[in-house]
Amino acid sequence: MATFTLFDEFIYNVLNGAVDLDSHTFKAVLSNTAPTADTHDELADITQITQQFGYLTGGVTLASVTLTETGAGTGIWQWTAADFSWTASGGAFGPFRYVVIYSDTSTGDKLVGMLDYGSSISITDGNSFTVDIGANGIIRASEA
């Protein structure tokens, strides 16, 4: 199971308005080079895998992105999106270990967080790699 980590500057970027969870377009890219959560802030800090056979530099756009309270008055907020994937076509792509989510709308393409799959993955021709967002969304936070 992948481990999700927020980039340190993410909360700052939300609070200062650089990243808007309600209105920005968010994307995900693949990397085989470990991002550094405490120093990386923008997409340019990430070493993406080479564009090839179904992987496009800049990544895939997240669909159905929402920020909602889990129930009236609960104070628990969830930021989520639909599952997303890449499909190898015409050959294999990879290896990659990290899936990095970023705001494609923010100046400098501010980073949100990353999934670490623990070891490198390659996708063979005709097969897909899907990120399962899960019932708790990408980020779940409470006011307390």
Side-chain angles (χ1 to χ4, degrees):
M1 179 153 193
T3 303
F4 186 75
T5 303
L6 288 174
F7 286 92
D8 287 2
E9 294 297 311
F10 168 71
I11 298 298
Y12 171 75
N13 288 327
V14 169
L15 293 175
N16 78 9
V19 172
D20 186 331
L21 295 175
D22 280 325
S23 66
H24 281 190
T25 297
F26 293 88
K27 291 187 173 186
V29 297
L30 302 176
S31 178
N32 205 38
T33 303
T36 306
D38 60 347
T39 59
H40 289 164
D41 180 44
E42 299 182 345
L43 182 60
D45 297 328
I46 303 302
T47 304
Q48 293 182 57
I49 65 170
T50 305
Q51 182 165 306
Q52 57 187 310
F53 304 116
Y55 179 77
L56 299 175
T57 303
V60 297
T61 302
L62 277 61
S64 303
V65 177
T66 58
L67 176 64
T68 56
E69 191 172 19
T70 59
T74 64
I76 301 170
W77 291 87
Q78 182 169 294
W79 186 66
T80 193
D83 295 350
F84 55 93
S85 63
W86 291 267
T87 300
S89 178
F93 71 80
F96 62 91
R97 176 175 168 170
Y98 307 94
V99 175
V100 178
I101 298 173
Y102 71 97
S103 167
D104 189 44
T105 309
S106 64
T107 301
D109 297 330
K110 300 295 187 191
L111 301 176
V112 174
M114 64 178 162
L115 288 160
D116 179 352
Y117 282 86
S119 61
S120 294
I121 301 165
S122 292
I123 306 303
T124 56
D125 189 18
N127 290 299
S128 297
F129 175 80
T130 300
V131 175
D132 179 4
I133 298 299
N136 290 325
I138 300 168
I139 300 169
R140 191 175 178 109
S142 65
E143 58 190 35

